[in-house]
């Protein structure tokens, strides 16, 4: 059975309204618009992943994902809401759950939006151990 992947993409209200209008008039135009948005999303995600894989070791990545998963479950914060956090805010959140991880907190605090998006996509995989280990192996040793 094939796995299911959830993609969350934020678009401006104006673009959303345009897509809704096109959906009402023609499926073909809508699919092109959605494809363009998804292509942009995956390009951004790929750029963020490249930087993220260089920034953390495998042990640090595992620890960050574990702490974020704890915060996600304890505070009932959706993963897509974590994507809106700034680096310093995300570092502060990790500091609440793992106050002794000063190096990790410092590194996370310096992340930009692309890296945070990639980090959230990675951290969500913790529920799929095989995929999680496969992605963890991509971090620098």
């Amino acid at each position: 059975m094939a796995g299911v992947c959830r993609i969350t993409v934020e678009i401006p209200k104006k673009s959303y309204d345009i897509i809704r209008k096109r959906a009402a008039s023609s499926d073909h135009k809508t699919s092109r618009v959605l494809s363009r948005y998804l292509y942009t999303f995956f390009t951004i995600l790929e750029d963020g992943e490249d930087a993220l894989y260089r920034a953390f070791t495998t042990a640090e990545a595992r620890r960050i994902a574990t702490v974020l998963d704890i915060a996600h479950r304890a505070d009932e914060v959706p993963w897509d809401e974590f994507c809106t956090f700034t680096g310093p805010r995300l570092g502060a959140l990790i500091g609440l759950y793992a106050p002794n991880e000063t190096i990790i907190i410092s590194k996370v605090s310096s992340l930009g939006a692309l890296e945070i998006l990639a980090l959230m996509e990675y951290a969500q995989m913790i529920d799929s151990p095989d995929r999680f280990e496969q992605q963890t192996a991509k971090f620098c040793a």
Side-chain angles (χ1 to χ4, degrees):
M1 186 168 142
V4 176
C5 294
R6 180 174 165 224
I7 298 174
T8 303
V9 182
E10 287 190 32
I11 57 173
K13 174 85 169 99
K14 182 178 176 183
S15 298
Y16 176 77
D17 291 339
I18 291 169
I19 290 171
R20 294 276 302 194
K21 284 181 189 174
R22 288 184 178 177
S25 63
S26 169
D27 290 334
H28 183 67
K29 287 180 183 178
T30 302
S31 67
R32 282 196 315 247
V33 171
L34 291 175
S35 293
R36 232 181 4 252
Y37 278 113
L38 287 174
Y39 173 78
T40 303
F41 173 77
F42 284 124
T43 301
I44 289 169
L45 182 61
E46 187 176 300
D47 290 346
E49 285 175 338
D50 290 342
L52 192 68
Y53 294 148
R54 288 189 309 270
F56 297 100
T57 66
T58 54
E60 289 171 336
R62 271 193 191 94
R63 181 69 176 136
I64 293 168
T66 302
V67 171
L68 287 173
D69 186 54
I70 291 168
H72 162 70
R73 293 173 195 279
D75 294 338
E76 297 180 355
V77 177
W79 288 108
D80 52 345
E81 187 175 326
F82 280 145
C83 290
T84 65
F85 282 27
T86 62
R89 184 174 177 200
L90 196 57
L93 175 75
I94 290 173
L96 289 174
Y97 289 93
N100 297 330
E101 300 287 355
T102 55
I103 294 173
I104 290 175
I105 293 167
S106 173
K107 286 183 176 183
V108 168
S109 294
S110 68
L111 295 178
L114 303 182
E115 293 88 6
I116 291 171
L117 174 65
L119 179 60
M120 292 312 132
E121 290 294 314
Y122 163 71
Q124 289 179 67
M125 291 181 197
I126 203 163
D127 291 332
S128 305
D130 292 338
R131 288 184 64 218
F132 181 71
E133 287 305 318
Q134 184 181 26
Q135 289 293 23
T136 302
K138 294 180 180 182
F139 287 87
C140 61

